[in-house]
Amino acid sequence: MRVGMKGWMDAFFAIETDSKLLQNIMFTNQINPAAWVIGIDKVKTLRNPVLVDFRSADKFVKGHEKNAVNIPYEELWTFDNLEKLNKSKELVIIYDDSVVAGVLAVSFRLLEYRTYILI
């Protein structure tokens, strides 16, 4: 089929995965990730942002953005820490490695968070 996975799903052919996750993957890949990268001035224009600094606690203590909360990347993927993140807010990712920040952004977008990366 030459129309890709969407054509496959539109034709009601079986797929062996959760279709909601597949739809999120397809939607996420239609958006230019460069649009997720914003500066602090743009953060101030967001309706309900939460700045989350995923750097280590040591780096966070040495300096961080005003009002940022710290959830070290190594400790992120626990139920308790994920519960701290509210989907009704725009999640602004702070991390000192752009590749990891991008992975975080994609991961959270697949989980249906409105996500940005602070540069």
Side-chain angles (χ1 to χ4, degrees), residues 1 4-5 7 9-10 17 24 28 40 46-47 55 58-59 67 75 101 110 113:
M1 183 167 280
M5 189 59 75
M9 290 172 52
D10 289 346
T17 186
N24 288 348
T28 298
I40 197 68
L46 297 176
R47 248 187 45 225
R55 299 175 303 148
D58 291 340
K59 289 182 179 180
N67 298 324
E75 301 169 19
L110 290 174
Y113 287 84

Side-chain angles (χ1 to χ4, degrees), residues 70-103:
N70 182 232
I71 301 176
Y73 177 77
E74 294 78 17
E75 301 169 19
L76 169 62
W77 302 108
T78 65
F79 184 76
D80 289 338
N81 280 333
L82 289 173
E83 282 289 304
K84 294 176 187 176
L85 304 174
N86 188 333
K87 286 187 179 180
S88 69
K89 297 180 181 257
E90 292 96 353
L91 180 64
V92 180
I93 295 169
I94 301 170
Y95 200 78
D96 51 6
D97 181 326
S98 60
V99 173
V100 175
V103 169

